[in-house]
């Protein structure tokens, strides 16, 4: 048995879908442990494309169990819609292969409205959220007023819980001059869908313990990236959950000793969606080239991603914060056409050189990248499956990257195709 956590080591969009797809074929159980339907994975299996938002990647494979943990915030309508969408592609989904935590917090229509109200009111200070209600739902969870999956089982309890949460939301809406949210129609809609949601509901912590006893391989699947972590990211331009590997334990109900290997998905350059600091961002033709060749548009939102050089300072920092054992380097082939390639190896702020990203957002916006320049390889790496067959300059770049971030590279992706991967170390190998 070996349990693996997959996290993004940058701002998300590192290409986790392809890697998680491969790992989920090796695992018995795939667990989502944080986030909501704001971050997606694209999987291509036997020519069929699946765009997953809430459902774990194991759902498209036979004989795998998929789990949505207590750390996830769930839009019940979005979940049911996604289930139907995936089922329409011939995938069987039932309460045997999909388990939803009874403790998961629900995203409700007033959460989405609050997200939109705040972003619109913020003007130039907006955070760049996906406007799907993720943040407001997490706020209610921490404020101990959220509606959870288990609350759908009792009409009387649901009524009381809705009263409690709407007292809070309607006070804010009134203060902002917005129409008060009415409970009755929402309650009716929730009761209408509750049987469809509750049939998947289980105590996930108990199921995880059973899987461990049965020595099943568990893959914990993170969404977004460590630099969007609410504690360790570029705050306040972050998501509302913990995206680090340790969140897999709290977000599913198991101890940290359940985690045997942490894999950090790492893009060979850097991208970011939305607002916030980005020291190595390129606002020129090279940035455009990276975006075009890398097809840098969001799976869920279709938003264009900002692009820049690989920031080794940031990745080294996230590796240490999240306890990453190895990195899967993705999209190396996107760099094939460049004459030279730069890597950020330090920052300068107010004339002083530093080797980490400071916590204060004002300082993050002020830092200037210090680059090391590499010669481009000007030849294709697309589809290469052995490290020794990479162009010499590509090998130099990869080896220097590995040395600087102080963590071994376990695999290198050389195209969007699953088969086009240089496998150096298998996280499920018991000798690792």
């Amino acid at each position: 048995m070996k349990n693996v956590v997959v996290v993004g080591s940058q701002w998300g969009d590192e290409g986790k879908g392809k890697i998680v797809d491969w790992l989920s074929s090796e695992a018995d159980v795939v667990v989502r442990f944080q986030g909501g339907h704001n971050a997606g994975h694209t999987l291509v299996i036997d020519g069929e494309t699946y765009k997953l938002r809430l459902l774990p990647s194991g759902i498209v494979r036979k004989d795998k169990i998929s789990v949505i943990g207590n750390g996830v915030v769930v839009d019940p309508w979005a979940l049911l819609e996604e289930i139907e969408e995936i089922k329409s592609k011939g995938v069987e989904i039932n309460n045997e292969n999909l388990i939803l935590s009874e403790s998961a917090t629900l995203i409700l229509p007033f959460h989405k409205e609050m997200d939109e109200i705040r972003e619109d009111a913020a003007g130039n200070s907006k955070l760049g959220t996906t406007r799907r209600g993720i943040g407001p739902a997490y706020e209610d969870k921490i404020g101990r007023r959220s509606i959870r999956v288990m609350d759908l089982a009792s009409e009387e309890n649901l009524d009381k819980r809705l009263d409690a949460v709407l007292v809070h939301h309607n006070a804010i809406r009134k203060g902002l001059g917005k129409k008060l949210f009415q409970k009755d129609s929402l309650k009716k809609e929730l009761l209408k869908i509750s049987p469809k949601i509750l049939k998947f509901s289980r105590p996930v912590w108990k199921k995880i313990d059973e899987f461990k006893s049965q020595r099943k391989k568990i893959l914990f699947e993170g969404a977004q990236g460590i630099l969007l972590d609410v504690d360790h990211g570029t705050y306040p331009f972050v998501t509302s959950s913990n995206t680090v590997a340790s969140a897999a334990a709290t977000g599913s109900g198991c101890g940290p000793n359940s985690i045997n290997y942490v894999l950090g998905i790492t893009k060979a350059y850097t991208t970011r969606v939305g607002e916030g600091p980005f020291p190595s961002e390129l606002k020129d033709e090279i940035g455009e080239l990276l975006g075009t060749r890398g097809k840098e548009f969001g799976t869920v939102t279709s938003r264009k991603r900002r692009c820049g050089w690989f920031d080794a300072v940031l990745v080294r920092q996230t590796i240490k914060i999240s306890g990453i054992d190895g990195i899967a380097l993705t999209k190396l082939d996107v760099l094939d056409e460049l004459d030279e390639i730069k890597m950020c190896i330090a920052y300068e702020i107010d004339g002083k050189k530093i080797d980490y990203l400071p916590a204060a957002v004002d300082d993050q916006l002020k830092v200037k990248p210090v680059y090391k320049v590499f010669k481009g390889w000007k030849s294709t790496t697309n589809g290469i499956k052995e490290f020794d067959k990479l162009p010499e300059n590509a090998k130099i770049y990869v080896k220097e990257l590995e040395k600087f971030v102080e963590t071994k590279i376990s695999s290198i992706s050389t195209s969007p195709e699953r088969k086009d991967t240089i496998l150096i170390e298998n996280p499920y190998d018991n000798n690792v």
Side-chain angles (χ1 to χ4, degrees):
M1 178 189 69
K2 193 155 195 178
N3 301 328
V4 176
V5 179
V6 173
V7 291
S9 70
Q10 293 153 306
W11 277 291
D13 310 310
E14 298 93 351
K16 289 188 288 295
K18 172 182 171 178
I19 308 300
V20 167
D21 173 35
W22 168 66
L23 288 171
S24 65
S25 70
E26 302 247 326
D28 302 304
V29 181
V30 184
V31 182
R32 271 285 308 272
F33 60 85
Q34 52 76 221
H37 62 308
N38 56 337
H41 293 331
T42 300
L43 309 181
V44 181
I45 301 173
D46 298 329
E48 186 73 69
T49 299
Y50 304 93
K51 292 184 182 291
L52 303 177
R53 298 169 289 279
L54 270 171
L55 293 173
S57 298
I59 200 68
V60 298
R61 297 191 172 278
K62 289 183 178 179
D63 305 319
K64 308 293 181 185
I65 299 171
S66 293
V67 179
I68 299 175
N70 55 275
V72 180
V73 286
V74 177
D75 181 322
W77 295 278
L79 175 59
L80 293 175
E81 182 181 331
E82 187 174 342
I83 288 172
E84 290 306 311
E85 179 185 325
I86 300 303
K87 285 171 71 174
S88 72
K89 295 176 180 286
V91 176
E92 185 177 351
I93 301 177
N94 53 50
N95 59 0
E96 295 296 319
N97 68 348
L98 177 61
I99 299 170
L100 170 63
S101 173
E102 62 184 3
S103 303
T105 288
L106 297 180
I107 301 173
L108 300 175
F110 51 80
H111 291 129
K112 185 174 182 291
E113 289 179 17
M114 185 59 68
D115 214 350
E116 293 172 343
I117 289 167
R118 286 178 178 168
E119 281 290 273
D120 290 341
N124 292 333
S125 300
K126 65 181 179 179
L127 297 176
T129 78
T130 55
R131 297 171 178 252
R132 281 169 165 72
I134 312 292
Y138 272 116
E139 286 180 48
D140 282 346
K141 176 180 178 176
I142 298 303
R144 294 165 290 187
R145 56 182 171 263
S146 66
I147 311 296
R148 301 195 288 175
V149 170
M150 66 183 75
D151 294 322
L152 299 177
S154 164
E155 181 175 351
E156 182 181 357
N157 182 57
L158 179 60
D159 193 74
K160 291 177 182 176
R161 299 298 303 157
L162 284 169
D163 280 338
V165 71
L166 286 175
V167 163
H168 172 81
H169 277 268
N170 278 335
I172 297 173
R173 293 168 76 102
K174 184 177 180 180
L176 293 171
K178 301 296 180 180
K179 185 179 177 182
L180 299 188
F181 197 93
Q182 299 302 311
K183 177 186 73 173
D184 291 343
S185 61
L186 173 58
K187 177 185 165 185
K188 184 179 179 180
E189 289 300 312
L190 285 171
L191 290 172
K192 182 179 177 181
I193 65 168
S194 62
K196 298 178 182 179
I197 296 293
L198 289 170
K199 73 177 183 180
F200 299 109
S201 175
R202 303 282 189 283
V204 160
W205 67 269
K206 195 171 186 298
K207 296 301 294 184
I208 297 271
D209 190 58
E210 289 174 17
F211 298 146
K212 288 166 60 181
S213 298
Q214 295 163 1
R215 301 191 65 77
K216 291 186 181 295
K217 294 179 182 177
I218 304 173
L219 173 65
F220 295 93
E221 177 185 4
Q224 301 148 303
I226 297 167
L227 289 168
L228 292 174
D229 185 279
V230 70
D231 287 303
H232 300 289
T234 48
Y235 190 93
F237 300 96
V238 292
T239 194
S240 299
S241 61
N242 287 112
T243 59
V244 290
S246 54
T250 53
S252 61
C254 63
N257 59 350
S258 301
I259 299 169
N260 306 112
Y261 190 97
V262 179
L263 180 67
I265 315 301
T266 307
K267 197 178 287 185
Y269 51 101
T270 310
T271 62
R272 174 164 201 169
V273 172
E275 310 301 318
F278 187 169
S280 65
E281 183 174 9
L282 294 168
K283 298 180 180 180
D284 56 15
E285 67 276 5
I286 295 176
E288 286 293 323
L289 175 68
L290 293 175
T292 301
R293 284 183 54 81
K295 296 181 173 61
E296 296 298 349
F297 296 90
T299 298
V300 173
T301 63
S302 298
R303 288 191 296 177
K304 186 177 180 181
R305 297 169 187 148
R306 300 153 64 190
C307 297
W309 296 120
F310 182 79
D311 193 329
V313 178
L314 278 181
V315 172
R316 182 175 62 187
Q317 186 166 321
T318 60
I319 282 170
K320 295 180 186 301
I321 287 168
S322 207
I324 290 172
D325 297 297
I327 63 172
L329 190 66
T330 64
K331 295 198 172 184
L332 182 68
D333 56 303
V334 173
L335 304 178
D336 286 351
E337 294 182 1
L338 297 174
D339 293 316
E340 64 176 27
I341 297 162
K342 296 180 181 180
M343 181 188 299
C344 176
I345 58 168
Y347 299 131
E348 280 187 3
I349 182 168
D350 298 328
K352 180 183 176 183
K353 189 177 286 189
I354 58 174
D355 62 356
Y356 68 97
L357 187 70
V361 68
D362 288 349
D363 290 337
Q364 292 172 356
L365 291 167
K366 282 197 297 184
V367 296
K368 303 295 182 186
V370 176
Y371 289 119
K372 182 172 184 176
V373 182
F374 297 83
K375 288 183 179 178
W377 41 92
K378 300 289 288 182
S379 60
T380 185
T381 60
N382 189 286
I384 292 177
K385 300 178 183 64
E386 297 176 34
F387 184 80
D388 289 342
K389 292 185 178 179
L390 287 173
E392 196 60 36
N393 285 347
K395 287 191 278 188
I396 291 170
Y397 177 73
V398 170
K399 282 294 183 184
E400 282 295 308
L401 186 155
E402 181 180 55
K403 180 180 177 182
F404 191 90
V405 300
E406 300 174 12
T407 301
K408 55 194 169 187
I409 293 175
S410 64
S411 65
I412 303 169
S413 175
T414 56
S415 96
E417 297 295 324
R418 184 180 156 198
K419 60 183 174 58
D420 294 335
T421 301
I422 300 169
L423 182 61
I424 300 166
E425 172 182 280
N426 186 343
Y428 278 116
D429 185 345
N430 286 324
N431 296 317
V432 172

